[in-house]
Amino acid sequence: MADTLTGAEHDPAARVPGFPMPRAAGCPFDPPPALTAAQQEGPLARVRLWDGKDYWLLTRYADQRAVLLDPRVSADLTSPGYPLQAPGSGKNDIGFILMDDPEHARLRRMVTAPFAIKRVEALRPAVQTIADDLVDAMLAGPKPVDLVQALALPLPSLVICALLGVPYDDHDFFQENSRILIKRDAAVEERTAAHGELIGYLDELMGEKMTHPGDDLLSGLVARVESGELSRLDAAQMGVLLLLAGHETTANMIALGTLALLEHPAQLALLRDTDDPKLIASAVEELLRYLSIVHGGRRRAVLADIEVAGQLIRAGEGVILPNDLANRDPEAFPDPDRLDLTRDARRHVAFGFGVHQCLGQPLARMELQVVCGTLYRRVPGLRLAADIAELPFKHDGSVYGVYELPVTW
Amino acid sequence: MRVELDEPKCVASGQCVLTAPEVFDQRDEDGIAFVTDEEPAPDSLDAVREAVAICPAAAIRLTER
């Protein structure tokens, strides 16, 4: 009888909440209260998306991890029942993150080498120099300053540009189009146009690299296009994915993470007063867990019947797995709503879980470690230069953060 | 204890290398992980257990004797 517990379509009296849900005013770091309430009520909830259809939402850490590992669920948004993020999502395919194995694995393995731990560690001194230079410039300039423009956005953008072989001078162009592409409420035409701009840009850049190859990731992809392993469109899509994911996510972590620390002065003091790489690494994991900025819920379609927490979920149904909620599951993280930089948060799912887990995570970690070990020590008087209630939060983005973070010292 | 890694399952997240660098490493060409010490010393046990738990692809198996 388990499968009689379906949704509103069978029980007109039930009120199915919409998803995504709004955060509470004054609690910018916590998941929406309705989402937390759903977790307290049980492992599964029904939610309604923009398309008027109802989907399963998994509230628990353990269930989310199990489903994300299950080969009977699909990340391909053309699979029946897939819960699309927004109207027209399918038109702006950004590569292998929306494919299943074996094709996903084949493409992913073409770009994983530069993100191996040792390769990323070798970049640490260069990233440290970038961070020091940006902080120098910030300290030499007028205050207050917008930390997003002074540090959070340029640091990861400079790094990913160097790694991919994209000219940093084009940053206004790709940052603006990336911002539109991940804006949840952007019109379909607007997002499609931004996607087209980025694909065209990467394709042209790779064209240049055919005649003038460099020692960078895009040149590596171009070589695979020339050898016939990769289509030109797949290569451009991979370039867009890496460029976008390489700067937008880390930038939001730097800015929102700094805001969270400014709001938790005792925690900030731990970082200001240390040069212990272990504590800094632990702090980064906890910030990743606590903030879980990819807050739109991982989406999957069920290809063959599965059971979650005793509930049958049928082939053709869609599931939503909000990792921000999993990272606040008290069974996985005691006292989950407390920011505690000294806790062991390594098992968080802020980078997702399963075969699609973020491939750039070693780079993101290293960048965040450099920032956490630099900014607060070098600017010990850092403080917010605005009312937190007035800050423009990215409620409308598929990656959460702040559009601006005015700070002074 | 004995550590095994199912290479086709590996997604090159590097988490095992980060957690237990004395037991795991990654291939240069694609970042896929491999075991460098199949029977590590007991003082690596906690780190290997953590690597098993943290692996996003459930590709690592630990047999404890």
Side-chain angles (χ1 to χ4, degrees):
Chain A
M1 292 297 283
D3 60 337
T4 58
L5 291 169
T6 49
E9 68 268 34
H10 300 297
D11 178 6
R15 198 184 66 84
V16 180
F19 184 89
M21 295 143 173
R23 292 178 195 253
C27 302
F29 310 119
D30 292 336
L35 208 49
T36 305
Q39 186 180 56
Q40 284 159 358
E41 278 164 30
L44 285 154
R46 294 291 278 177
V47 291
R48 189 164 294 168
L49 290 191
W50 60 272
D51 59 5
K53 293 181 187 157
D54 296 342
Y55 297 87
W56 293 106
L57 183 140
L58 275 58
T59 70
R60 304 266 163 92
Y61 173 88
D63 293 332
Q64 286 195 18
R65 292 213 330 168
V67 168
L68 288 171
L69 266 178
D70 196 318
R72 294 169 297 178
V73 304
S74 169
D76 179 346
L77 48 66
T78 62
S79 299
Y82 184 96
L84 289 176
Q85 290 274 2
S89 288
K91 290 187 186 139
N92 303 315
D93 192 334
I94 50 171
F96 58 80
I97 60 169
L98 300 172
M99 293 179 189
D100 292 328
D101 284 345
E103 187 61 2
H104 157 264
R106 188 181 79 86
L107 294 174
R108 177 177 166 122
R109 285 184 179 203
M110 292 183 186
V111 289
T112 38
F115 300 99
I117 302 295
K118 284 178 184 165
R119 294 273 299 270
V120 167
E121 269 313 303
L123 296 176
R124 190 183 288 264
V127 175
Q128 182 66 57
T129 302
I130 290 172
D132 283 329
D133 290 350
L134 290 169
V135 172
D136 285 345
M138 188 176 112
L139 289 172
K143 55 187 179 180
V145 68
D146 176 11
L147 192 78
V148 174
Q149 295 301 330
L151 177 72
L153 201 47
L155 183 137
S157 299
L158 281 159
V159 175
I160 199 68
C161 280
L163 204 139
L164 291 178
V166 169
Y168 180 71
D169 285 349
D170 296 336
H171 68 95
D172 284 340
F173 165 80
F174 68 73
Q175 285 166 351
E176 174 61 12
N177 283 294
S178 299
R179 195 184 60 75
I180 295 167
L181 195 54
I182 65 165
K183 205 168 167 231
R184 213 147 47 183
D185 58 2
V188 182
E189 302 77 37
E190 201 187 355
R191 260 202 326 269
T192 303
H195 182 253
E197 287 283 329
L198 288 167
I199 290 283
Y201 173 71
L202 264 298
D203 186 69
E204 195 183 318
L205 202 54
M206 288 201 240
E208 289 166 22
K209 286 178 192 294
M210 283 186 180
T211 41
H212 304 288
D215 181 23
D216 53 54
L217 200 153
L218 290 185
S219 296
L221 289 180
V222 164
R224 290 183 191 268
V225 171
E226 287 174 326
S227 73
E229 286 174 80
L230 189 61
S231 77
R232 199 159 163 158
L233 180 61
D234 276 343
Q237 281 178 340
M238 281 156 96
V240 171
L241 171 66
L242 295 169
L243 183 59
L244 190 155
H247 77 275
E248 185 61 40
T249 47
T250 310
N252 283 308
M253 269 308 297
I254 293 171
L256 194 66
T258 298
L259 179 62
L261 290 167
L262 290 171
E263 293 294 302
H264 295 81
Q267 297 295 306
L268 178 59
L270 292 177
L271 283 176
R272 199 178 51 218
D273 301 337
T274 191
D275 56 3
D276 175 9
K278 281 202 171 123
L279 176 56
I280 292 167
S282 161
V284 166
E285 299 310 310
E286 172 66 349
L287 286 167
L288 287 162
R289 178 197 74 83
Y290 182 72
L291 297 171
S292 298
I293 56 169
V294 182
H295 66 157
R298 310 275 164 182
R299 313 288 174 104
R300 293 293 186 268
V302 176
L303 299 176
D305 294 2
I306 60 170
E307 202 180 291
V308 178
Q311 171 68 48
L312 177 70
I313 300 182
R314 294 188 182 282
E317 291 194 284
V319 292
I320 300 171
L321 310 103
N323 51 226
D324 48 341
L325 201 53
N327 283 337
R328 298 291 186 104
D329 182 344
E331 284 184 32
F333 304 99
D335 199 3
D337 296 331
R338 195 161 62 92
L339 176 69
D340 174 4
L341 303 186
T342 64
R343 82 161 82 213
D344 185 354
R346 283 179 297 175
R347 296 188 189 187
H348 68 74
V349 286
F351 290 116
F353 198 70
V355 298
H356 290 279
Q357 194 184 54
C358 176
L359 72 89
Q361 58 182 297
L363 182 63
R365 279 198 170 93
M366 185 270 281
E367 291 174 332
L368 294 171
Q369 288 165 5
V370 167
V371 169
C372 280
T374 305
L375 178 63
Y376 317 119
R377 289 178 67 199
R378 291 204 49 202
V379 195
L382 191 72
R383 63 179 200 276
L384 195 58
D387 180 351
I388 186 169
E390 303 295 319
L391 290 179
F393 286 94
K394 295 185 176 178
H395 295 294
D396 57 346
S398 53
V399 182
Y400 187 57
V402 279
Y403 285 107
E404 279 173 44
L405 187 66
V407 293
T408 191
W409 51 91
Chain B
M1 63 171 152
R2 188 168 177 81
V3 186
E4 290 166 276
L5 193 145
D6 190 348
E7 185 260 298
K9 275 191 176 178
C10 176
V11 296
S13 75
Q15 299 237 47
C16 57
V17 181
L18 210 56
T19 311
E22 68 280 16
V23 180
F24 302 97
D25 201 351
Q26 285 168 286
R27 298 199 298 230
D28 291 337
E29 66 269 30
D30 55 10
I32 296 302
F34 58 91
V35 179
T36 56
D37 185 357
E38 289 176 358
E39 294 183 17
D43 57 5
S44 295
L45 184 59
D46 284 350
V48 174
R49 278 191 190 137
E50 185 63 23
V52 171
I54 219 165
C55 174
I60 306 167
R61 219 176 75 179
L62 170 67
T63 317
E64 292 179 53
R65 282 190 299 242

